[in-house]
Amino acid sequence: MMLQVENLHAGYGGAKILRGVSFDLAAGEVLVLLGRNGAGKSTTIKALMGLLRPTAGRVRLAGADIAGWEPHRIARAGLGWVPEERRVFPELTVAENLEVGRRPAREGLAPWTPERLFALFPNLAELRQRPGARISGGEQQMVAIARTLMGNPRVLLLDEPGEGLAPVIVDLMAEAILALKREGATVLLAEQSLAFASRVADRAVILETGRIVWDGAIDALLADTGARARHLQV
Amino acid sequence: MDLIFLQLLTGLAGASTLFLVAAGLTVIFGVTRVVNFSHGSLYMLGAFIAWSLLSRLPREPDYFVLGVLGAAVATAVIGAVLEVVLLRRIYRAPELLQLLATFGVVLVVQDVALWVWGPVDLSLPRPRWLRGAVEIAGLRFPFYDLVLIVVGPAVLGGLLLLFHRTRWGLLVRAATQDRDMVAALGVDQRVLFTSVFALGAGLAGLGGALALPQGSANLNMDLSVIAEAFVVVVVGGMGSLGGAFLAALLIGVLQAFGIALVPKITLVLVFLVMAAVLVVRPHGLLGKPQAMARGEVEALAPIRPAGPALQVLGLVALLAAILAPFVAGPYLLSVLTEAAVAVLFAASLHVMMGPGGMASFGHAAWFGVGAYAAAFAAKGLGAGMAVGLLLAPFAAGALALLVGAFVVRMSGVYLAMLTLAFAQIAWAVAFQWVEVTGGDNGVLGVWPDGWAADKPTMYWLALLLCVGGALVLRRALFAPFGFALRATRDSALRAEAIGLDAHRLRLAAFVLAGAGAGLSGAVFAYAKGSVFPTYMAIPHSVDALVTVLLGGVQTMAGPVVGAVTFTVLQSWLLMGDFWRIKLGLLIIALVLAFPTGIAGAASAVWDRWRGRAA
């Protein structure tokens, strides 16, 4: 297993958000984390990344237990986080944004370079010298993904990459994720939209009030109308 | 013509050292968001270390360069240690507590420098090559001025290259925009922050070392340079190197000509320029509106009315205070009078800082205006104490209304700097308008009326006015005005959207705070019988800040606890030699131990205890 999450607990102050989240992610797999608003999808991602200190549980990344580590060590160990709000550095150019993400190559993975990333996101190639604040939301999302890939992560954590973007850009995102999958990338995707998830994911887990309530192949979920009604419909 | 040219040159040379200090300050602020009050201390250490090195090295130019660089490196190392030992622990603390902790460092460094280098100004015997002049186009230029004039732009160029052409610089720039994101991309922030702090400290040390040959290493240079460096950084725009350079040129030249033409108002001139720039460009010459740095969550606990237990405690304390004259000797009584004055002084600052969200660096100005108003009533009008006590809050309040109209449009560090500027102007006026204020000699013989002449009566009067005044302020904060004010502090935009006039509310709080401080100043004047410009000086403003932060900004009891603690500390523990290092270490320890202040920590402990009991 590339990533194993066991009984993860986390929260903000007194509010317990995650109450024992467990799931596995195999190398080369795209797993989607589904759930209603407030189910704990973003919190799970933040707890994995060390931005929120887990109160209990274990997170194994390629064998090492990274729970409780500081974010920069977790990033170095191979988790690459693309935040929901994108958080592109507004006063750095697109090229500089990518450079901030640069980390040494990782054994067994073809190292990412700006050239390979501009091939993955052709729109960005012309924007190299444009400040991060002066590109569109969709372009910022691409920069955020490309910047994280520059760190050659073992697992890519994507938090709602399609949120707030025009349908045509959402299509581009889906294609990019599929392209990454063909390259052998391992992806954990937090997503609200089952439609988007079904286009890119192999497997799905559903979060409800801080616990995993469903785990299986995405096709099985698409077939299981009862589970969808119980856990996803609003 | 020649004279003007030479003066310009002197100005530009001064601008260079000023730029070095300000550049370090602005770089540190940009990344760590810490306003480093101790930056002037690093400058001072640079000068002292340079003196120690250069007075031992041969007096040749290459050894001079070696000594100056050695001093810069040594200061950088000191800065790195400071960052690792202290600042690293308080990056997530509220801005003002960081400021307070670095002020603690200022005090510690002052006594350490006194202990190591002694109280005498240390100047360097200047070798001939340093005193020489260079002839260009028939004019003779002092050689060292030219050196300094070259150093400024050279350092600016070097820094720009460093920030724009190296990976380290790229990471630093990224961290100024979103430090948590940088960490999530695998960069160890601690290494970055420590190196940035070392760079900034090294620049300050370099500035101090380079300033040494034209002056001396002395114990006053820390606070005088920090005030100027703040001005330069704020005028240039916080975090902007180019802005700091422009502002340093402006201030340096202005000072050179000011000293030559109108020496009396130079200080006022500098601060007037700052005020003018900030009114026109609220974020400085090249500054940008300062976005709240991400990852900086300042959770403000809501202010609650005191619970029954605390009310009982307060009543007991008040009763003890009222009965004190029956047991206390004259010395204790005068300390208690000072404590009463400190309570109102702190409570008035708290109105601005806590519920108002406006931290003032110049609160002593209003205290001083009140004190001088009392002095004017007594001496100028020959009126009784009642007139003075009535006049003081109105005078201070009226001036606060005038000044506040400018000031409350700013926020954060800019607001703090602007209040500092106005306080410095007020101080300069008091200091230099000798005909009216008596200058440094002050106004003597501001005695209370006969009926209040004995110490216990004066103490009871002080207690009545100051505790009464503090209670009035407290009442205002739990009135709709107080709620509206806090709403404005939490979100000015949302407050305006529900129909609150943010500007007016902030101005009202500013005036209220000024009037309260004015009254405390007048009481102090009558209790002491004299008024001096030091009442308005920076250290007195810092006293008020320390008091409020010591007690805790977000509790109503805070200013009271802080004022009493601080007065007691000052009167007993902190007398005699090396009181600065004691106070400094105490401040640092308090900030590290109680990031929410004494009263804040006490109420947290109380809540936990209650929670367990329930």
Side-chain angles (χ1 to χ4, degrees), chain A residues 49 70-72 75-76 81 83 87 89-92 96 99-100 102-103 147, chain B residues 167 170-171 173-174 177-178 180-188 190 288 294:
Chain A
M49 201 59 220
E70 286 176 88
H72 74 270
R76 288 176 185 186
W81 174 54
R87 292 170 71 163
F89 301 113
E91 288 166 34
L92 302 188
E96 286 176 330
E99 281 308 316
V100 175
R102 188 189 284 273
R103 307 277 336 152
R147 180 178 64 183
Chain B
R167 175 166 174 82
L170 178 68
L171 295 181
R173 281 189 296 141
Q177 295 166 40
D178 190 342
D180 284 353
M181 191 65 228
V182 173
L185 290 168
V187 177
D188 189 349
R190 278 173 303 199
K288 273 165 273 190
R294 268 188 196 275

Side-chain angles (χ1 to χ4, degrees), chain A residues 1-10 18-27 29-35 39-49 56-62 64-66 79 155-158 186-191 203-208 210-217:
Chain A
M1 278 299 142
M2 181 60 90
L3 183 68
Q4 283 176 293
V5 181
E6 281 171 41
N7 193 30
L8 190 66
H9 284 71
L18 305 184
R19 305 144 182 268
V21 171
S22 305
F23 60 85
D24 291 343
L25 177 58
E29 191 179 30
V30 176
L31 173 68
V32 63
L33 196 56
L34 287 164
K41 300 187 296 290
S42 285
T43 307
T44 304
I45 299 259
K46 286 192 179 121
L48 291 179
M49 201 59 220
R58 279 196 290 189
V59 180
R60 291 185 175 281
L61 175 67
D65 186 359
I66 59 168
L79 277 194
V155 178
L156 189 62
L157 306 177
L158 284 177
T186 312
V187 180
L188 176 63
L189 171 73
E191 189 53 70
R203 260 178 61 225
V205 290
I206 300 181
L207 263 174
E208 199 169 272
R211 284 195 190 86
I212 300 290
V213 292
W214 197 95
D215 187 338

